[in-house]
Short mmCIF file of all heavy atoms in Angstrom, two decimals:
data_model
loop_
_atom_site.label_atom_id
_atom_site.label_comp_id
_atom_site.label_asym_id
_atom_site.label_seq_id
_atom_site.Cartn_x
_atom_site.Cartn_y
_atom_site.Cartn_z
N ASP A 213 -4.29 2.49 20.84
CA ASP A 213 -4.98 2.49 19.56
C ASP A 213 -5.05 3.93 19.07
O ASP A 213 -5.74 4.77 19.66
CB ASP A 213 -6.39 1.91 19.72
CG ASP A 213 -7.11 1.75 18.39
OD1 ASP A 213 -6.69 2.38 17.40
OD2 ASP A 213 -8.10 0.99 18.34
N LEU A 214 -4.35 4.21 17.96
CA LEU A 214 -4.25 5.57 17.45
C LEU A 214 -4.94 5.75 16.10
O LEU A 214 -4.71 6.73 15.40
CB LEU A 214 -2.77 5.96 17.32
CG LEU A 214 -2.01 6.11 18.64
CD1 LEU A 214 -0.51 6.18 18.39
CD2 LEU A 214 -2.49 7.34 19.39
N ILE A 215 -5.82 4.84 15.76
CA ILE A 215 -6.48 4.94 14.46
C ILE A 215 -7.27 6.25 14.38
O ILE A 215 -8.09 6.56 15.24
CB ILE A 215 -7.40 3.72 14.20
CG1 ILE A 215 -7.81 3.64 12.74
CG2 ILE A 215 -8.61 3.72 15.09
CD1 ILE A 215 -8.46 2.32 12.36
N GLY A 216 -6.99 7.03 13.35
CA GLY A 216 -7.71 8.28 13.15
C GLY A 216 -7.37 9.40 14.11
O GLY A 216 -7.97 10.48 14.03
N ALA A 217 -6.42 9.20 15.02
CA ALA A 217 -6.06 10.26 15.96
C ALA A 217 -5.35 11.40 15.21
O ALA A 217 -4.52 11.15 14.34
CB ALA A 217 -5.16 9.72 17.06
N ASP A 218 -5.69 12.63 15.55
CA ASP A 218 -5.08 13.80 14.91
C ASP A 218 -3.86 14.22 15.71
O ASP A 218 -3.99 14.78 16.81
CB ASP A 218 -6.10 14.95 14.84
CG ASP A 218 -5.65 16.07 13.92
OD1 ASP A 218 -4.43 16.18 13.66
OD2 ASP A 218 -6.51 16.85 13.47
N LEU A 219 -2.68 13.96 15.16
CA LEU A 219 -1.42 14.22 15.86
C LEU A 219 -0.68 15.43 15.29
O LEU A 219 0.52 15.60 15.53
CB LEU A 219 -0.51 12.99 15.78
CG LEU A 219 -1.00 11.74 16.51
CD1 LEU A 219 -0.12 10.55 16.18
CD2 LEU A 219 -1.00 11.98 18.02
N ARG A 220 -1.39 16.30 14.58
CA ARG A 220 -0.72 17.45 13.99
C ARG A 220 -0.05 18.31 15.06
O ARG A 220 -0.68 18.73 16.03
CB ARG A 220 -1.72 18.31 13.21
CG ARG A 220 -2.12 17.73 11.86
CD ARG A 220 -3.16 18.60 11.20
NE ARG A 220 -4.40 18.61 11.98
CZ ARG A 220 -5.38 19.49 11.80
NH1 ARG A 220 -5.26 20.43 10.87
NH2 ARG A 220 -6.48 19.42 12.53
N ASP A 221 1.24 18.49 14.89
CA ASP A 221 2.06 19.33 15.77
C ASP A 221 2.12 18.80 17.21
O ASP A 221 2.55 19.51 18.12
CB ASP A 221 1.56 20.77 15.77
CG ASP A 221 2.67 21.76 16.11
OD1 ASP A 221 3.83 21.49 15.74
OD2 ASP A 221 2.40 22.79 16.77
N ALA A 222 1.69 17.55 17.42
CA ALA A 222 1.84 16.95 18.76
C ALA A 222 3.33 16.73 19.04
O ALA A 222 4.09 16.38 18.15
CB ALA A 222 1.10 15.62 18.83
N ASP A 223 3.73 16.94 20.28
CA ASP A 223 5.13 16.80 20.67
C ASP A 223 5.37 15.39 21.19
O ASP A 223 4.96 15.05 22.30
CB ASP A 223 5.48 17.84 21.75
CG ASP A 223 6.98 17.97 21.95
OD1 ASP A 223 7.73 17.04 21.56
OD2 ASP A 223 7.41 18.99 22.52
N LEU A 224 6.04 14.58 20.39
CA LEU A 224 6.29 13.18 20.74
C LEU A 224 7.75 12.93 21.12
O LEU A 224 8.21 11.80 21.12
CB LEU A 224 5.92 12.28 19.55
CG LEU A 224 4.44 12.25 19.15
CD1 LEU A 224 4.27 11.49 17.85
CD2 LEU A 224 3.59 11.63 20.26
N ARG A 225 8.46 13.97 21.46
CA ARG A 225 9.86 13.79 21.82
C ARG A 225 9.99 12.89 23.04
O ARG A 225 9.39 13.14 24.09
CB ARG A 225 10.51 15.14 22.10
CG ARG A 225 10.76 15.98 20.85
CD ARG A 225 11.32 17.34 21.18
NE ARG A 225 10.35 18.15 21.92
CZ ARG A 225 10.63 19.36 22.44
NH1 ARG A 225 11.85 19.87 22.31
NH2 ARG A 225 9.68 20.03 23.08
N GLY A 226 10.75 11.83 22.86
CA GLY A 226 10.97 10.89 23.95
C GLY A 226 9.81 9.97 24.26
O GLY A 226 9.89 9.15 25.18
N ALA A 227 8.73 10.05 23.49
CA ALA A 227 7.57 9.19 23.74
C ALA A 227 7.85 7.77 23.27
O ALA A 227 8.66 7.54 22.38
CB ALA A 227 6.34 9.74 23.02
N ASP A 228 7.15 6.82 23.88
CA ASP A 228 7.30 5.41 23.50
C ASP A 228 6.02 4.94 22.83
O ASP A 228 5.00 4.76 23.47
CB ASP A 228 7.59 4.57 24.75
CG ASP A 228 7.96 3.12 24.39
OD1 ASP A 228 7.86 2.76 23.20
OD2 ASP A 228 8.36 2.38 25.32
N LEU A 229 6.09 4.76 21.50
CA LEU A 229 4.94 4.29 20.72
C LEU A 229 5.14 2.85 20.27
O LEU A 229 4.49 2.38 19.33
CB LEU A 229 4.71 5.18 19.50
CG LEU A 229 4.23 6.60 19.77
CD1 LEU A 229 5.40 7.57 19.87
CD2 LEU A 229 3.27 7.08 18.69
N THR A 230 6.02 2.12 20.94
CA THR A 230 6.29 0.74 20.59
C THR A 230 4.99 -0.08 20.60
O THR A 230 4.25 -0.08 21.58
CB THR A 230 7.29 0.11 21.56
OG1 THR A 230 8.46 0.92 21.61
CG2 THR A 230 7.66 -1.29 21.12
N GLY A 231 4.72 -0.75 19.51
CA GLY A 231 3.54 -1.60 19.45
C GLY A 231 2.23 -0.85 19.39
O GLY A 231 1.16 -1.46 19.51
N SER A 232 2.26 0.47 19.19
CA SER A 232 1.01 1.21 19.07
C SER A 232 0.23 0.70 17.86
O SER A 232 0.81 0.24 16.88
CB SER A 232 1.26 2.72 18.94
OG SER A 232 2.09 3.00 17.84
N LEU A 233 -1.08 0.79 17.94
CA LEU A 233 -1.95 0.17 16.94
C LEU A 233 -2.44 1.17 15.91
O LEU A 233 -2.92 2.27 16.26
CB LEU A 233 -3.15 -0.48 17.63
CG LEU A 233 -2.82 -1.48 18.75
CD1 LEU A 233 -4.10 -1.89 19.46
CD2 LEU A 233 -2.10 -2.68 18.18
N PHE A 234 -2.33 0.79 14.64
CA PHE A 234 -2.91 1.53 13.52
C PHE A 234 -2.35 2.95 13.35
O PHE A 234 -3.04 3.84 12.87
CB PHE A 234 -4.44 1.57 13.64
CG PHE A 234 -5.05 0.21 13.82
CD1 PHE A 234 -5.88 -0.08 14.90
CD2 PHE A 234 -4.79 -0.81 12.91
CE1 PHE A 234 -6.44 -1.35 15.06
CE2 PHE A 234 -5.34 -2.07 13.06
CZ PHE A 234 -6.17 -2.35 14.14
#
Side-chain angles (χ1 to χ4, degrees):
D213 186 342
L214 292 167
I215 194 168
D218 193 338
L219 294 172
R220 284 177 295 166
D221 207 33
D223 194 341
L224 295 171
R225 287 176 294 174
D228 189 353
L229 292 93
T230 306
S232 58
L233 306 172
F234 307 124

